Amino acid sequence: MGMTITEKILAAHSGRDEVYAGEFVTAKVDLVFANELSGIVTLRVLREWEGFERVFDPEKVVFVFDHFTPNKDISTAMIVKELKAELDQYGITYYESGRNGIEHVLLPELGLIAPGDLILGGDSHSCTHGALGAFATGVGSTDIAAAMALGETWLKVPTTLKLVYRGQPPKWVGGKDLILHTLGKISVSGALYQAMEFSGEAIDALTVFDRLTMANMAIEGGGKAGIFAADEKTLEFLADKGGREGVVYHSDPDAEFSDVIEFDVSDLEPQVAFPYLPENARSVSEASDVKIDQVVIGFCTNGSLHDLRQAAKVLEGRKIHPSTRAVVIPGSQNVYKQALKEGLIATFIEADCAVSTPTCGPCIGGHMGVLAAGEKCLSTSNRNFVGRMGHTESEIYLANPAVAAATAVAGHIVSPEEVV
Amino acid sequence: MQIKGKAWKFGKNIDTDAIIPARYCNTADPEKLAPHCLEDADPDFVKKMSAGDIVVADENFGCGSSREVAPITIKAAGISAVVAKSFARIFFRNSINIGMPIFESEEAVYSIDEGDEISIDPTAGVLTNHTKNTTHQLEPFPEFLQDIISLGGLRYWVEERLKSAA
């Protein structure tokens, strides 16, 4: 019987010729990573474990401090200090503010992800890296500790939900719109315990950055992974990163899928997910009466150079609405530098945006744009749960960076077409 | 710990931000987290519940973030088990790993009302509703997971492997 990409990667990492959905495997990992919030629990767990002396391979373990950094308060500062001292002892590389990025934007830039890899991250959005043809999944701190000690993890081979996108995405429609539309159809538990495999000519037409955005939100459908077959665009994206070559896998024609769902995106409008779930997706034209107090552009979902370019196209020569606050957060230090060179940062500042160093900050109600009771925010992030960005009586609307920029100008939710 | 107490019912898609909001996650200390257990789903929950009580929820409980402090907070608050129609997968793994008892049963969740007195026999996989005088079979865990659970959590699975590798 044929295998899916996911089954092939898990077979290759567990020393088997074939594995199929439902089997339990113990699989070798190519990269294990954590941030300061998951990582502090991991290191405290490891201290207790009998027989643990060293990490299986310090070259394959990375920590990125991104959630509440630059440290937002004393408690966070204490956590980061504790981590640094111990990571130095283990010889593990970590990335501090000023050299970092949001983990899922930074790791591909560093050449740490290759097609065919098995990646384990202490963050639910670790599924982002499936965009590059890897099997990447998020786990908790104890699972990260186990993988750091053993170099392997246990996994139940997931069934694969095949999602096929037909047609060419219209202008201002990108990966964010495709995934929000998909979540609107399948719900936030529609892919529970499954791998979501994305394909079709609309996917071929997308940039690698758009695919990273889609894979990022696989977890929002309950997915264990979001995965794309690596193609020429993927290999071109990876070519200058200095990473390993990897192995490109495709699902066999006779592979078994739990379901195949087809979408025609030719007439798809930009999408907006209403509070309080990412599945509440509607067309932007149905959202135009919503007045917005804050716009945030960035995050692991939409913090790439491509995303900032989309936003800058809309903001060039325009000003943010006087009653609206707009925050722009480049996804990594490298994205920040490139955006500076291309003049994007100047565009944002001239438009009256607040530009921040890379951080997850406001997405989790940490810092750099926390919401008051009653405030409404349009964000390019991935979650609009109750209280996610601040007060429990605030509201979050999710959309792509161009919609976010247009909304910042208009002061209410609007399609970029209406502004540009 | 004996699994016996009053049922507290929650709806579907209870996310980890509702279980323990990120604004409190600048610490990983269970005692500091416990007073905020399920705060954004029910601000008075910790005041109302007693040690040993059981959280009963609809589908996809624990969706969202990978924060292990979610099951840690529920355990530290004194909840003895969570019964749901289904769990989000990272929350499911985290609960097994830290030894927080969780059980799946559509039928049990459907029949339990808030305030019902519940007890669970994890070995037999049976939930008893003392208020309604009914019993319900809970979904058995796959054999692979039963091994980890019977060892006492992931820690012991890892320690065994480290020992055999040494």
Side-chain angles (χ1 to χ4, degrees), chain A residues 219-239:
Chain A
I219 180 71
E220 268 38 270
K224 188 170 198 155
I227 202 159
F228 293 69
D231 64 3
E232 278 178 22
K233 285 183 181 172
T234 321
L235 300 181
E236 194 187 324
F237 171 88
L238 292 168

Side-chain angles (χ1 to χ4, degrees), chain A residues 264-405:
Chain A
D264 188 332
V265 303
S266 312
D267 298 319
L268 189 69
E269 272 189 55
Q271 299 286 297
V272 178
F274 277 52
Y276 289 97
L277 286 174
E279 70 183 21
N280 297 334
R282 298 187 205 169
S283 296
V284 65
S285 55
E286 295 170 55
S288 58
D289 54 344
V290 182
K291 189 181 163 294
I292 292 295
D293 302 287
Q294 173 174 292
V295 167
V296 192
I297 297 167
F299 305 118
C300 60
T301 320
N302 284 113
S304 73
L305 192 61
H306 171 73
D307 292 315
L308 296 191
R309 285 176 186 153
Q310 297 293 109
K313 268 188 215 167
V314 177
L315 290 175
E316 177 78 57
R318 296 187 173 83
K319 290 279 188 195
I320 303 305
H321 189 274
S323 66
T324 306
R325 172 173 67 241
V327 183
V328 179
I329 311 177
S332 73
Q333 200 71 3
N334 185 47
V335 169
Y336 203 166
K337 281 183 203 166
Q338 289 297 322
L340 195 63
K341 268 188 207 162
E342 291 185 18
L344 309 180
I345 301 296
T347 299
F348 298 139
I349 293 173
E350 289 301 327
D352 296 342
C353 295
V355 180
S356 160
T357 192
T359 181
C360 307
C363 172
I364 40 171
H367 59 340
M368 293 306 300
V370 176
L371 300 174
E375 280 195 320
K376 295 183 197 309
C377 175
L378 187 128
S379 171
T380 67
S381 52
N382 39 40
R383 290 191 175 135
N384 53 353
F385 301 152
V386 171
R388 173 81 178 176
M389 293 182 81
H391 200 282
T392 50
E393 286 163 31
S394 59
E395 290 185 356
I396 306 164
Y397 297 77
L398 307 174
N400 77 34
V403 171

Side-chain angles (χ1 to χ4, degrees), chain A residues 48 50 73 75 142 193, chain B residues 17 26 68 87 155 159 161:
Chain A
E48 304 289 318
E50 229 167 88
D73 54 21
S75 193
T142 300
Y193 307 128
Chain B
D17 283 279
N26 58 355
E68 196 159 295
F87 290 92
R155 169 188 180 161
E159 286 181 351
R161 296 175 87 84

